[in-house]
């Protein structure tokens, strides 16, 4: 008699409890690993942890399939954006430097590369974030508190270019959609700046916040690369920018009652964005009515604690991951 396959991923909500506060978090994009995420600890100590967490097919629960030490808390963790699974199974983290790890078929993890701009000293200015280029996964870009952005080649493990991107600390960097050359960054000077690697003598200031309040994160719309979302320090609103019309936001999303911590565009829709914050809420917005005002979110989820991180799954667009206290929660939307 044929045995029925277990129904994997049929719940509306999964919760995985980590032994520490979860900060960094990212979904795998490999089609053969659809229910796999990487999470990073936030422990006020030198030794922190990264876990690979996967959905167990028989038990239908998330379990840690690998864990390894990481110096300091990882400011970001990201799987290689290789949707065809042609490349080795790689995972990158940022902190005191950019590290690239390889996950073997048996699940063991080894350090493949440690990328640092430190020349004379063993110390490198801390990295606030990084992004992995989807069009060419050989390219990674980092942002640092030393005002620079650095573009790396993974193959050569050498710097392709480094530039002073802002007047103060740079807090985030993001490549534009399918481009190998265009990227944007935000920083403590309160500006969103756009760069083209083919013409680095010029940059475009897309937006400057009121009173130059630091901008903490930015995210480029996956389907319509004219749009960038960002938010400021200690702000309850998310700003939507149209790069064709710099300086003035096309929308301000004001549904949170606490500070916004994270945002993630839908991978499959140009109109949908998820935001999470200190008010324990994850909100999904529909911006299809632009340029008319977007007044209310279309979906709302309330967590037990503050939402530190959000990420919308690229290979399973009906799932969003959220870092909530010491828990990883995956929500079906």
């Amino acid at each position: 008699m044929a045995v029925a396959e277990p129904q994997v991923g049929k719940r509306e909500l999964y919760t995985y409890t980590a032994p520490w506060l979860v900060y960094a978090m990212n979904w795998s994009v490999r089609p053969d690993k659809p229910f796999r995420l990487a999470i990073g600890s936030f422990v006020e100590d030198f030794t922190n942890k990264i876990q690979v967490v996967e959905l167990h097919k028989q038990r239908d629960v998330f379990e840690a399939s690998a864990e390894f030490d990481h110096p300091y808390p990882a400011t970001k963790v990201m799987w290689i954006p290789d949707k065809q699974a042609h490349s080795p199974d790689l995972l990158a983290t940022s902190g005191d430097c950019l590290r690239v790890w390889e996950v073997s078929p048996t699940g063991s993890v080894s350090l493949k590369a440690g990328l640092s701009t430190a020349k004379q000293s063993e110390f490198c200015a801390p990295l606030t974030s990084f992004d992995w280029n989807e069009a060419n996964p050989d390219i990674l870009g980092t942002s640092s508190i030393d005002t620079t952005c650095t573009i790396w080649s993974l193959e050569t493990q050498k710097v392709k270019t480094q530039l002073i991107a802002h007047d103060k600390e740079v807090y985030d960097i993001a490549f534009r959609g399918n481009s190998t050359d265009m990227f944007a960054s935000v920083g403590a000077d309160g500006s969103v700046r756009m760069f083209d690697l083919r013409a680095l003598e010029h940059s475009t200031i897309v937006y400057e916040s009121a009173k130059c309040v630091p901008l903490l994160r930015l995210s480029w719309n996956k389907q319509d690369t004219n749009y960038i979302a960002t938010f400021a320090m200690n702000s309850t609103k998310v700003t939507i920018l149209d790069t064709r019309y710099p300086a003035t936001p096309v929308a301000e999303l004001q549904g949170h009652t606490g500070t916004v911590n994270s945002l993630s565009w839908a991978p499959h829709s140009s109109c949908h964005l998820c935001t999470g914050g200190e008010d324990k809420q994850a909100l999904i917005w529909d911006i299809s009515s632009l340029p008319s005002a977007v007044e209310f979110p279309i979906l709302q989820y309330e967590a037990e604690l503050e939402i530190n991180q959000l990420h919308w799954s690229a290979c399973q667009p009906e799932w969003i991951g959220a870092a909530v206290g010491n828990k990883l929660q995956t929500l079906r939307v």
Side-chain angles (χ1 to χ4, degrees):
M1 190 172 87
V3 178
E5 279 288 311
Q7 296 287 295
V8 179
K10 293 301 180 185
R11 299 191 204 173
E12 299 300 308
L13 170 70
Y14 289 89
T15 300
Y16 169 78
T17 303
W20 21 256
L21 183 70
V22 180
Y23 178 67
M25 183 262 297
N26 188 253
W27 283 93
S28 168
V29 303
R30 288 174 67 105
D32 58 336
K33 301 281 187 180
F35 281 97
R36 182 178 69 165
L37 301 96
I39 58 174
S41 67
F42 188 90
V43 179
E44 292 185 11
D45 198 358
F46 174 76
T47 303
N48 275 255
K49 301 286 185 182
I50 303 291
Q51 283 188 348
V52 177
V53 179
E54 301 187 62
L55 188 63
H56 191 285
K57 287 185 177 180
Q58 277 68 43
R59 289 194 283 272
D60 199 31
V61 294
F62 275 96
E63 297 178 341
S65 59
E67 179 180 285
F68 54 96
D69 288 348
H70 190 276
Y72 305 104
T75 53
K76 186 171 181 177
V77 58
M78 187 176 179
W79 295 95
I80 184 170
D82 174 24
K83 294 176 184 175
Q84 282 74 45
H86 290 158
S87 303
D89 197 7
L90 302 180
L91 179 69
T93 59
S94 54
D96 57 326
C97 70
L98 181 66
R99 292 179 174 85
V100 180
W101 313 81
E102 183 165 356
V103 183
S104 74
T106 61
S108 63
V109 181
S110 59
L111 183 64
K112 179 180 174 68
L115 308 179
S116 171
T117 56
K119 302 276 196 306
Q120 309 301 325
S121 165
E122 61 178 292
F123 298 105
C124 175
L127 302 178
T128 52
S129 187
F130 73 96
D131 196 20
W132 210 325
N133 191 284
E134 289 187 22
N136 181 1
D138 180 52
I139 301 172
L140 297 98
T142 62
S143 57
S144 172
I145 65 168
D146 68 1
T147 75
T148 66
C149 287
T150 305
I151 308 299
W152 290 90
S153 164
L154 179 58
E155 184 181 358
T156 65
Q157 297 187 25
K158 288 185 166 53
V159 173
K160 290 171 74 76
T161 190
Q162 185 178 46
L163 64 145
I164 296 174
H166 288 259
D167 300 328
K168 296 181 180 179
E169 298 95 329
V170 190
Y171 288 142
D172 203 6
I173 181 173
F175 286 105
R176 175 176 176 164
N178 293 318
S179 171
T180 57
D181 300 301
M182 303 284 291
F183 69 93
S185 59
V186 292
D189 59 7
S191 68
V192 178
R193 302 192 183 199
M194 198 160 60
F195 300 89
D196 187 333
L197 291 173
R198 296 161 297 187
L200 283 175
E201 62 274 14
H202 303 293
S203 68
T204 302
I205 297 179
V206 181
Y207 172 72
E208 290 182 297
S209 64
K211 299 180 181 177
C212 297
V213 175
L215 298 174
L216 299 185
R217 291 284 176 259
L218 86 158
S219 182
W220 221 309
N221 189 311
K222 305 294 184 188
Q223 296 293 326
D224 186 341
T225 54
N226 291 312
Y227 292 105
I228 290 175
T230 185
F231 60 86
M233 183 180 289
N234 300 323
S235 175
T236 59
K237 68 182 180 182
V238 172
T239 300
I240 308 294
L241 308 169
D242 186 333
T243 58
R244 295 166 297 185
Y245 309 103
T248 305
V250 292
E252 290 187 331
L253 310 180
Q254 305 193 57
H256 286 280
T257 56
T259 301
V260 178
N261 288 334
S262 185
L263 52 81
S264 181
W265 286 101
H268 62 304
S269 164
S270 62
C271 300
H272 294 96
L273 175 74
C274 187
T275 60
E278 296 286 314
D279 58 2
K280 309 177 187 177
Q281 292 192 103
L283 305 178
I284 294 181
W285 303 85
D286 182 350
I287 64 163
S288 59
S289 62
L290 291 180
S292 299
V294 182
E295 295 186 4
F296 303 105
I298 57 169
L299 282 173
Q300 175 181 339
Y301 169 74
E302 183 146 351
E304 297 173 6
L305 296 167
E306 298 86 356
I307 296 174
N308 292 320
Q309 202 71 250
L310 283 170
H311 187 227
W312 208 315
S313 173
C315 63
Q316 296 192 111
E318 68 273 25
W319 289 95
I320 291 176
V324 181
N326 68 330
K327 294 180 171 66
L328 164 68
Q329 295 196 313
T330 55
L331 324 167
R332 187 195 294 273
V333 295

